[in-house]
């Protein structure tokens, strides 16, 4: 990645981007070789002190290893107070070449999580970054060029009865990169499928493409789920729809899904695809399909579906901004 006469190290020579005044925080780190800035492929995980956050960070670490990418562990402190453990936030990113002692005085939450991850995954290339500002705005800024932004379903201080934390919910609506929400306090186990919600009438190409890529990278089956409802004329009838009518309508939906998936099957011939057409509400169908999945992928315009199914599924959900 580096050029002649430039030793990039594991992340490339890093410079501080111009401070983002609206956030009260330093900008993201970007690799620099000579005078040219080159944005780096990286996975970012936002952390705090919660168990949900650590589960998300561990999922992000395993995904980074699977993709051969570095992981950046980011902690954002409020702008009106000191950072973690009395430290002023906004510390520069630190590459973890050797594990940082988790109990070292003055270590930040990002450093401690990065140390845990490198202890657990010795091959991981990790960097930690402490920032000041609004968490949603800060994470959106540092994730602007990232492959993925990974966060826990609920953060530090969230009420147990709240299924989705306010930061996670806001990130699915505001971030311009794919956001993965990881539920539970323990990292999810291995599963044998990736599930993607497909609106066959207007498929979100970004979400479908990322789902195919995720299935290919982990050698899993792709479960493509398209939901449908009975046409309006069926509801206007004084009697239930005839079986032959239902069969015809369902055949039409099956053909629509087949047409939507055809170009992706051609691009990813090695991916085993299970195409599923279901007469159910999207969140119900996806929650059921997610039972054996390691990941569910939906487009942002299905964001309400994603947030609705999250409390009922034990696997991460990726919301793609398309």
């Amino acid at each position: 990645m580096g050029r002649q006469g430039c030793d990039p190290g594991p992340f490339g020579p890093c410079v501080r981007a111009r401070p983002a005044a609206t956030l009260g925080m330093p900008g993201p780190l970007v690799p620099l070789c000579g005078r040219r800035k080159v944005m780096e492929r990286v996975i970012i995980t936002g952390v705090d002190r919660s168990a949900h956050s650590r589960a998300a960070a561990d999922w992000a670490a395993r995904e980074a290893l699977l993709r051969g990418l570095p992981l950046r562990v980011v902690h954002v402190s409020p702008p009106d107070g000191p950072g973690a453990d009395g430290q002023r936030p906004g510390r520069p990113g630190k590459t973890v070449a050797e594990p940082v002692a988790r109990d070292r005085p003055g270590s930040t939450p990002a450093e401690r999580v990065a140390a845990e991850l490198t202890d657990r995954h010795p091959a991981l290339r990790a960097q930690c970054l402490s920032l000041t500002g609004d968490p949603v705005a800060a994470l959106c800024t540092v994730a602007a060029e990232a492959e993925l932004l990974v966060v826990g379903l609920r953060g530090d201080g969230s009420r147990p009865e709240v299924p989705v934390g306010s930061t996670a919910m806001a990130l699915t609506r505001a971030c311009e990169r794919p956001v993965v929400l990881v539920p539970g306090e323990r990292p999810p186990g291995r599963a044998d499928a990736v599930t993607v919600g497909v609106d066959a009438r207007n498929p979100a190409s970004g979400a479908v493409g990322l789902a195919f890529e995720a299935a290919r990278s982990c050698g899993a089956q792709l479960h493509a789920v398209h939901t449908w409802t009975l046409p309006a004329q069926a509801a206007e009838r004084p009697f239930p729809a005839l079986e032959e009518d239902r069969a015809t309508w369902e055949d039409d939906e099956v053909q629509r899904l087949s047409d939507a998936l055809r170009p992706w099957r051609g691009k990813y011939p090695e991916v085993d695809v299970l195409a599923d057409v279901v007469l159910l509400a999207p969140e119900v169908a996806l929650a059921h399909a997610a039972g054996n999945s390691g990941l569910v992928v939906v487009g942002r315009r299905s964001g309400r579906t994603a947030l609705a199914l999250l409390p009922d599924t034990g696997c991460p959900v990726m919301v793609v901004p398309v």
Side-chain angles (χ1 to χ4, degrees):
M1 170 172 182
R3 293 178 179 167
Q4 185 176 3
C6 178
D7 179 12
F11 288 91
C14 289
V15 296
R16 180 71 61 189
R18 191 170 186 176
T22 57
L23 303 180
M25 52 167 275
L29 294 176
V30 294
L32 179 66
C33 188
R35 295 185 177 180
R36 182 183 175 187
K37 295 180 181 179
V38 181
M39 303 310 294
E40 180 187 24
R41 293 184 63 200
V42 65
I43 290 176
I44 290 177
T45 183
V47 301
D48 53 27
R49 295 179 177 84
S50 69
H52 286 85
S53 166
R54 279 171 161 73
D58 191 75
W59 188 93
R62 288 183 286 117
E63 189 68 14
L65 288 170
L66 184 66
R67 298 181 182 217
L69 297 177
L71 177 70
R72 187 163 297 150
V73 182
V74 180
H75 175 259
V76 184
S77 298
D80 54 354
D85 305 320
Q87 298 291 317
R88 289 301 305 175
R91 297 172 59 164
K94 179 175 182 178
T95 299
V96 182
E98 297 179 359
V100 178
R102 288 186 290 274
D103 57 353
R104 179 175 61 79
S107 63
T108 67
E111 289 173 344
R112 290 193 288 273
V113 171
E116 292 173 2
L117 295 175
T118 52
D119 283 348
R120 195 175 304 127
H121 308 285
L124 180 68
R125 293 177 293 156
Q127 186 184 54
C128 43
L129 182 62
S130 297
L131 303 173
T132 306
D134 172 73
V136 174
L139 289 171
C140 286
T141 297
V142 298
E145 300 294 334
E147 293 280 302
L148 298 174
L149 171 62
V150 183
V151 295
L153 191 58
R154 297 200 306 271
D156 190 27
S158 294
R159 299 191 305 275
E161 67 273 14
V162 176
V164 182
S166 58
T167 297
M169 186 178 299
L171 285 169
T172 64
R173 296 169 177 166
C175 188
E176 292 306 313
R177 300 298 299 154
V179 177
V180 179
L181 306 181
V182 180
E185 297 184 356
R186 296 181 179 179
R190 180 177 175 83
D192 58 4
V194 172
T195 295
V196 59
V198 182
D199 179 356
R201 288 179 172 79
N202 186 20
S205 59
V208 177
L210 284 175
F212 267 88
E213 183 60 31
R216 184 203 61 79
S217 65
C218 62
Q221 182 186 64
L222 179 64
H223 189 178
V225 179
H226 167 59
T227 63
W228 66 290
T229 59
L230 294 175
Q233 63 265 31
E236 296 169 358
R237 295 176 180 177
F239 48 84
L242 299 175
E243 281 300 317
E244 53 264 36
D245 289 337
R246 286 173 59 103
T248 299
W249 295 328
E250 185 168 7
D251 287 345
D252 289 342
E253 300 298 329
V254 169
Q255 187 59 52
R256 287 190 180 95
L257 180 58
S258 177
D259 292 342
L261 294 176
R262 185 174 296 111
W264 299 103
R265 288 179 186 266
K267 186 175 180 180
Y268 295 91
E270 69 275 31
V271 175
D272 177 27
V273 181
L274 171 62
D276 206 356
V277 173
V278 186
L279 186 61
L280 287 173
E283 63 272 18
V284 176
L286 286 171
H288 179 73
N292 69 332
S293 294
L295 179 68
V296 176
V297 183
V298 295
R300 175 179 286 173
R301 62 172 177 256
S302 301
R304 291 179 61 186
T305 297
L307 297 176
L309 72 90
L310 273 164
D312 298 320
T313 182
C315 72
V317 174
M318 179 190 295
V319 181
V320 183
V322 293

